[in-house]
């Protein structure tokens, strides 16, 4: 049995997940080609090697082209869902990406007390969210694990400033997701966000079980870096394991 194990001891986000799964062995060119099947333009996907905190890993970046029409307006959840479901992506990728997007939209709707159909993803948020969720769904499809486990999601504390004003950490959408899907969590003393709504959506839509212990044996290890939280490490570790059924 092939197991994919996420170590979320330093948080989880969409870009960290993509970086870790590419670092684990998913060819970046295949990820880029798959994302090009979506009717979404106005961005460039980048991939680089990062060394930080004694760890070497991969950083996948989404760079917006500000002048492109795709980046001039917000997009609502039904439009993004239709974009994914009407694409020529493999059916399993469509199913998983649509589920994760719905999880995130429903959490945002509950947090803001609005209908899920009214949930809007603002400019960069729309591009980032679709790229991260479809990209994660493709990487998991490419790796084809029989089971996905994780350590508890570790988040910081305090508050952060966003378009809506100052909000507490964990942010409301993350609180909604972890409560709805009974995700195992823990907190640390870092003042700031470690688990993003996209990261929590990936966990809720993909993880099968949780374990407090990181595996001590594995076939390959991948590390994915994000843009923030370098004081806490700023990376996600993933392990690919082959486990005997006996």
């Amino acid at each position: 049995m092939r197991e994919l194990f996420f170590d979320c001891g330093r948080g989880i986000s969409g870009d960290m997940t993509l970086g870790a799964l590419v670092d684990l062995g998913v060819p970046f060119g295949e990820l880029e080609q798959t994302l090009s099947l979506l009717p979404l333009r106005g961005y460039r996907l980048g991939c680089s090697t990062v060394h930080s905190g004694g760890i070497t890993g991969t950083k996948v970046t989404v760079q917006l082209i500000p002048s492109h029409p795709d980046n001039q307006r917000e997009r609502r959840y039904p439009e993004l869902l239709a974009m994914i479901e009407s694409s020529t992506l493999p059916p399993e990728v469509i199913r998983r990406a649509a589920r994760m997007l719905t999880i995130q939209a429903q959490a945002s709707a509950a947090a803001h007390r609005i209908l899920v159909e009214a949930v809007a993803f603002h400019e960069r948020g729309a591009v980032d969210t679709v790229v991260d969720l479809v990209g994660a769904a493709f990487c998991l499809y490419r790796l084809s694990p029989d089971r996905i486990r994780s350590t508890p999601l570790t988040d910081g504390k305090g508050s952060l400033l966003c378009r809506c004003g100052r909000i507490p950490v964990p942010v409301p959408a993350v609180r909604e997701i972890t409560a709805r899907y009974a995700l195992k969590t823990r907190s640390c003393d870092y003042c700031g966000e470690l688990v993003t709504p996209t990261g929590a959506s990936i966990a809720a839509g993909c993880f099968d079980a949780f374990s407090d212990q990181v595996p001590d044996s594995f076939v390959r290890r991948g590390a994915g870096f994000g843009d923030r939280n370098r004081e806490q490490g700023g990376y996600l570790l993933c392990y690919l394991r082959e486990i005997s059924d006996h």
Side-chain angles (χ1 to χ4, degrees):
M1 179 177 71
R2 172 177 284 199
E3 179 185 84
L4 180 60
F5 192 96
F6 282 66
D7 179 2
C8 298
R10 298 161 192 83
I12 180 172
S13 64
D15 56 350
M16 289 162 69
T17 300
L18 289 187
L21 297 180
V22 167
D23 200 54
L24 198 58
V26 176
F28 175 73
E30 289 188 19
L31 172 63
E32 195 171 30
Q33 183 177 18
T34 297
L35 290 169
S36 73
L37 298 175
L38 293 167
L40 185 67
R41 302 294 180 262
Y43 73 93
R44 298 185 184 93
L45 203 63
C47 182
S48 60
T49 299
V50 174
H51 309 277
S52 180
I55 296 289
T56 299
T58 297
K59 180 170 175 54
V60 173
T61 56
V62 179
Q63 181 181 1
L64 295 192
I65 302 170
S67 60
H68 195 280
D70 279 4
N71 302 320
Q72 303 302 312
R73 64 183 181 87
E74 65 183 23
R75 296 170 186 260
R76 297 191 185 277
Y77 159 69
E79 180 184 355
L80 297 183
L81 182 63
M83 180 186 297
I84 294 170
E85 293 184 330
S86 64
S87 71
T88 57
L89 293 163
E92 185 177 338
V93 175
I94 291 174
R95 178 192 60 77
R96 182 166 260 161
R99 171 171 162 74
M100 292 188 291
L101 177 65
T102 299
I103 288 170
Q104 187 165 341
Q106 289 175 340
S108 183
H112 295 286
R113 298 186 179 182
I114 59 175
L115 295 175
V116 68
E117 292 80 10
V119 170
F121 293 81
H122 301 282
E123 295 91 20
R124 181 177 184 87
V127 176
D128 274 352
T129 299
V130 172
V131 168
D132 288 346
L133 295 182
V134 173
F138 168 73
C139 289
L140 294 175
Y141 168 77
R142 184 67 167 71
L143 291 169
S144 298
D146 300 299
R147 179 175 71 182
I148 302 175
R149 291 195 303 147
S150 172
T151 58
L153 308 189
T154 302
D155 210 343
K157 61 181 183 179
S159 63
L160 62 85
L161 194 61
C162 69
R163 295 173 68 109
C164 305
R166 187 161 291 280
I167 58 176
V169 175
V171 300
V174 168
R175 290 180 184 271
E176 285 285 342
I177 293 169
T178 56
R180 284 182 180 219
Y181 295 91
L183 301 181
K184 196 168 183 180
T185 63
R186 61 190 174 198
S187 61
C188 68
D189 290 334
Y190 174 79
C191 288
E193 180 187 40
L194 296 176
V195 178
T196 67
T198 300
S201 300
I202 292 170
C206 303
F207 293 179
D208 298 310
F210 288 88
S211 171
D212 291 326
Q213 299 298 319
V214 176
D216 54 10
S217 63
F218 50 89
V219 176
R220 293 202 304 273
R221 189 203 72 184
F225 284 84
D227 288 323
R228 297 175 294 171
N229 312 325
R230 289 298 171 85
E231 298 93 335
Q232 179 67 14
Y235 57 85
L236 170 71
L237 296 177
C238 287
Y239 301 87
L240 197 61
R241 309 174 67 206
E242 296 291 344
I243 302 174
S244 173
D245 293 332
H246 303 290

